[in-house]
Amino acid sequence: MSVAITTPDRRYIVVRARLWRRAKPDLSETCRAALVQRLMAARRGVKEAKRAERAGEPGAAEALAAARAEVDAAKVGLGERGPVWWTDGAPDLNRHLVRNTPYAAWFAALSAGEPEPR
């Protein structure tokens, strides 16, 4: 398992040269843990609903929509989606390739000329 690279402002992690928004840093550990538990349960719900859908079970499409909505709600609660949690007016660069952002030079310096992973 690799260690995630965090941007200097601690707003994003970098995964395969793409930025992903981090959770709100001001969440209490108890709140964060509860939201992560909710997120993991919702992801298991998505997996189960997809299985049910493949099996042709009635209500599977509705269960899938509900599970995906629960994933989204947990991610919004964590701050990974929805309004940004920082207050300086900086834009949200979630899911952008690092090379297309203001973090490009910082990230290039980390790799010391190594090619980006594909």
Side-chain angles (χ1 to χ4, degrees):
M1 183 176 192
S2 64
V3 176
I5 299 169
T6 303
T7 58
D9 57 14
R10 306 192 51 79
R11 292 179 181 163
Y12 303 95
I13 62 169
V14 180
V15 178
R16 283 178 271 188
R18 192 170 297 273
L19 298 172
W20 294 93
R21 197 185 322 164
R22 293 184 67 220
K24 298 176 198 172
D26 61 345
L27 289 175
S28 71
E29 184 55 34
T30 303
C31 181
R32 189 195 67 74
L35 285 165
V36 168
Q37 187 174 29
R38 179 180 174 190
L39 175 61
M40 295 298 103
R43 285 181 170 164
R44 286 189 298 275
V46 167
K47 180 180 177 181
E48 179 58 26
K50 283 183 174 183
R51 186 211 52 79
E53 193 172 52
R54 284 189 304 274
E57 295 178 17
E62 293 82 6
L64 182 57
R68 285 182 170 158
E70 185 64 16
V71 166
D72 188 62
K75 286 189 149 285
V76 168
L78 285 164
E80 295 175 8
R81 291 187 185 159
V84 297
W85 44 262
W86 51 88
T87 59
D88 64 1
D92 186 10
L93 302 172
N94 196 35
R95 298 184 180 186
H96 286 66
L97 289 172
V98 181
R99 69 176 177 235
N100 299 329
T101 71
Y103 300 102
W106 162 80
F107 190 64
L110 289 180
S111 66
E114 293 294 321
E116 282 187 16
R118 296 266 181 236

